Amino acid sequence: MNQDTEVCIIGAGFAGLVASLLCCQRQMRCIVIEKRSRDAGSVSNAHYLNAYTLEILVSVGLSIEALRAAAVDASIDKTMVVCHTLNRTLAKIDLHSDPTFSHRYAAAGRYGAFLNIRASRLHHLLLSLAESKGIEIRWSHGITALDSQQQRVKVQPAHGQAYWLRCNTVLACDGASSHTVQMANIEHRHRTFYRYFFTIECHGSIRSVVQDQAVMYWIYHERLLGCMINFDLDALQVIQIPVLTKEAINWSEKDIKQRFSAICGIPVDACQHRFRVCGHWRLETSLLSEASQGNWLFVCGDALHQVLPAGGLGLNLALADVFNLIWKLPRQQKASRAMLATYQTERIAVADRALQQSVDNYHRFIAMSETFLSGVGTGGLDGLLRSVPPSIRSSVVDAWLWLNRASHDLDLMPADAWSEVMQHNRGHFDGMAMHFSAPYLSSLVFEPSQRELYALDSMRHQLFVGYRLMNFQCVIDRQVVKLGDVLNYDRWTFVVGQTSRVFMRHYRSFSLPKQLLQVDFDLVLDLALDQCLPMQQGDCLLIRPDRYVAAFISMNDHERLERFGAFLRHITTA
């Protein structure tokens, strides 16, 4: 068994597996340490993958065809329903009905704006790929000590003696309540607790009982209050239920079947579903005070930040963390402090913004619940329950929800009463704002854009320095290509709107010490192309390995060219 490696990755979750695949791609030796057994699988309930995450997953070797095959059916994944019972829709968001959506969806990335894939299926795809590439994963092993001075970690197998593993770099990808973070004594800068939820898997078909097929159902029934994710109309739904009373956490399978039958509007004996309670969890946000220690230990994913699930930001943030980091790690040489320091500078700022965005999304959903519960949301119910004896709290909740359902059934509340709040939630459910709202501001970005971007419907299809690339097309070697298809994770890329001969004259004038930046191609700009790359002859675009726009300048702007030359000298020496 090897006792040394270049990179030690703690945790074989999403961030850990993607990090290992990126290391493999860069021919860096890595070992993954995972405390659980191989058959434990993923316990995550995440499912939303944004455009940038799809780019990352394809870049590590997953095919977009495999991802689409594992995804929720495309006919339902853009619809959200609010209801009391599944057979009567009170309100819904259907992105298919938006005439501008398909264009904006395509503009977000090469593979569209998002996919919904259940976490367990995605984890299986990543694990199979990692094992096919021979990546070493030491299952049922834990880390018991960190020694930054000797650059080693102490590994304890489930059976056998502990041993020291030497490594140039350690990645803490061991999730929320990370043991690695605790050993490193890194403090939480922000930590806020919200409420407890529990999760129920429902195995069976709802096709015959739903009025509208959708990926998400917000259910406000006196027998069951929760959010249901429909992964498969005929096979699997998962319900997240807020814990309002202590009785809820003790529901038996018989209780669940009765309540599920009620929201389906069918007799209990007609319900053929099987149910599994997957455990209780606490809704919280947190962010560490630092993302790295001594350019040796780097914290990624939920170990670094926990955001609220509203908006599906957590998994996407985790994969973006490792995609930001791995290309900055040196191969066979001493690490550059300046390069590695940008991981913390860039990712802490992005995580902070995403945390606030998730809280904003959460409050939008609370506002929706207040609208459907006659002005009393789940927070209001908490206050109401505190004012009554514990013995009748469950009955109070049921009675309040029944009154609201009755008022809707009798059409006492006009349909347009909640149109405004549904419109607010549409902006979140649209799903294309993620990762456009927080640019990178660091020494690896040349004069970044100061514009605040939130959603694609409020921005033009342009190049913004510091932001990730959108979906652009151009002509290279007489072929129409998507720019993302010709990028490489292992190098920076120049795209020039003029001949290489003219560009190289400028490039040589920068007097760079190393030729680390590769000039890949000349391009032809065709404005008739859909999603045409917005460049002109004489423009120069510099793209980082993680597909962020590092610089965008005109070679005719001599004043900026001088500053740009200094910037290139900085990044090539870093």
Side-chain angles (χ1 to χ4, degrees), residues 183-433:
M183 288 189 292
N185 293 316
I186 302 177
E187 296 182 351
H188 289 268
R189 193 175 71 185
H190 301 297
R191 194 162 204 171
T192 304
F193 301 105
Y194 290 78
R195 65 164 59 252
Y196 282 93
F197 283 73
F198 65 103
T199 302
I200 298 175
E201 283 186 1
C202 311
H203 297 268
S205 176
I206 60 172
R207 185 180 295 274
S208 63
V209 300
V210 297
Q211 176 180 336
D212 289 288
Q213 297 181 4
V215 68
M216 186 179 296
Y217 295 86
W218 292 91
I219 303 167
Y220 297 95
H221 194 282
E222 65 268 21
R223 304 303 308 279
L224 194 153
L225 174 69
C227 176
M228 184 173 79
I229 307 300
N230 174 29
F231 289 105
D232 188 325
L233 275 167
D234 297 313
L236 175 66
Q237 305 83 41
V238 174
I239 308 179
Q240 310 289 3
I241 301 173
V243 178
L244 297 175
T245 64
K246 289 184 179 179
E247 289 84 351
I249 62 176
N250 296 316
W251 285 353
S252 66
E253 183 169 355
K254 180 180 178 181
D255 292 328
I256 296 170
K257 186 172 185 177
Q258 290 175 342
R259 294 172 185 275
F260 189 79
S261 299
I263 67 169
C264 289
I266 59 175
V268 175
D269 56 8
C271 179
Q272 301 299 313
H273 271 71
R274 294 178 295 103
F275 304 96
R276 184 171 78 92
V277 177
C278 301
H280 307 84
W281 49 281
R282 183 166 58 181
L283 198 63
E284 65 179 90
T285 58
S286 68
L287 178 60
L288 297 185
S289 58
E290 52 187 336
S292 62
Q293 275 191 350
N295 289 328
W296 179 65
L297 171 66
F298 297 88
V299 188
C300 307
D302 285 354
L304 172 61
H305 42 66
Q306 283 183 266
V307 300
L308 299 182
L313 289 163
L315 173 57
N316 297 285
L317 277 173
L319 301 196
D321 287 342
V322 295
F323 204 58
N324 176 282
L325 174 63
I326 300 300
W327 66 272
K328 298 174 181 177
L329 299 179
R331 288 181 298 190
Q332 310 297 331
Q333 75 243 30
K334 188 175 178 60
S336 161
R337 288 180 175 271
M339 181 74 79
L340 294 177
T342 62
Y343 173 70
Q344 174 162 301
T345 302
E346 295 178 348
R347 294 310 297 169
I348 286 284
V350 167
D352 190 45
R353 179 62 184 270
L355 188 153
Q356 295 304 318
Q357 187 173 328
S358 76
V359 172
D360 176 60
N361 290 338
Y362 174 76
H363 287 304
R364 288 173 185 265
F365 285 128
I366 293 298
M368 180 174 69
S369 71
E370 290 175 349
T371 300
F372 282 89
L373 296 177
S374 303
V376 179
T378 51
L381 280 174
D382 288 335
L384 178 65
L385 293 175
R386 284 193 293 269
S387 67
V388 300
S391 60
I392 64 170
R393 286 177 181 173
S394 181
S395 298
V396 169
V397 171
D398 290 352
W400 183 258
L401 291 170
W402 180 86
L403 285 171
N404 278 276
R405 181 164 68 89
S407 68
H408 292 152
D409 288 344
L410 295 172
D411 292 324
L412 297 180
M413 294 181 64
D416 60 1
W418 47 70
S419 59
E420 182 177 350
V421 73
M422 292 302 289
Q423 188 60 35
H424 280 304
N425 279 283
R426 185 187 190 90
H428 151 69
F429 187 66
D430 189 301
M432 293 187 290

